[in-house]
Amino acid sequence: MVRNIAIYITIALTICVLINVAFQTTETPSLGDYSTKGLNLSYTVEDNTDVLSLATTEQEDYEFSPYLGKSFVGFKEALAFKESGGNYFSVNTFGYLGKYQFGAGTLKLIGINNPNEFLKNPKLQEKAFIANVARNKWILRRDIKNFVGRRINGIIVTESGILAAAHLAGPGSVKKYLRSYGLDNFADGYGTTVHYYMKRFSGYDTSFVKANKKAKAI
């Protein structure tokens, strides 16, 4: 009998404890305990679309992609990075200017007679790059036709490699390199060769730029 009473008391106490716990856990939490005060909630991502729009002045349907791959934009941005680190306001020790490191003589050929103004104008620099590629493509049109796909000095010749080398050394030096099958390998003041540029910038799609004998940036 005493034992049964003890069991009933134990059960009753257990029920009371469970009811008490249930009521405590169903209380509405105070939202005041949760605050964003003091936290930095301002996050920004650098917007490069303005630069890319300059880079594609005549490519109206260009769609931004963080991966440029072997596209024309990939080609020119890779070349710019090698030339100046992509800095529009760079001037090297030989006086070459801008993102793509143009010389004053080349600028005159594409209609730019004020190097100082050119250096201050990123949009003009992008136009200058496209004009220069178009002009070089016209000058080298026969060499592109005759040598693309051939192997010279261990590398397969591509149109983008030819155009990159022409940007470095001028189309005349590229003609000499190709027609000598790599024996006449021009090097610039820093020791960078036609062969190196043809290898490094091989395989990009440069069909976007059309050959133009009279291409001008202005």
Side-chain angles (χ1 to χ4, degrees), residues 24-42:
Q24 287 181 352
T25 57
T26 57
E27 289 181 359
T28 301
S30 172
L31 296 179
D33 295 336
Y34 303 92
S35 172
T36 58
K37 184 178 181 180
L39 297 179
N40 180 13
L41 301 179
S42 177

Side-chain angles (χ1 to χ4, degrees), residues 61-101:
D61 294 330
Y62 174 72
E63 182 176 342
F64 171 72
S65 169
Y67 178 70
L68 299 175
K70 290 290 185 176
S71 67
F72 175 73
V73 179
F75 168 72
K76 68 179 211 51
E77 292 303 317
L79 187 57
F81 186 80
K82 177 63 176 69
E83 291 286 334
S84 70
N87 182 0
Y88 284 109
F89 310 106
S90 173
V91 180
N92 75 6
T93 54
F94 294 99
Y96 288 83
L97 307 168
K99 180 178 177 180
Y100 302 101
Q101 296 290 279

Side-chain angles (χ1 to χ4, degrees), residues 82-83 92-94 96 101 164-165 167-170 173 185-197:
K82 177 63 176 69
E83 291 286 334
N92 75 6
T93 54
F94 294 99
Y96 288 83
Q101 296 290 279
H167 183 85
L168 170 77
S173 295
N185 188 18
F186 171 90
D188 72 1
Y190 297 108
T192 306
T193 64
V194 167
H195 170 77
Y196 175 76
Y197 260 44

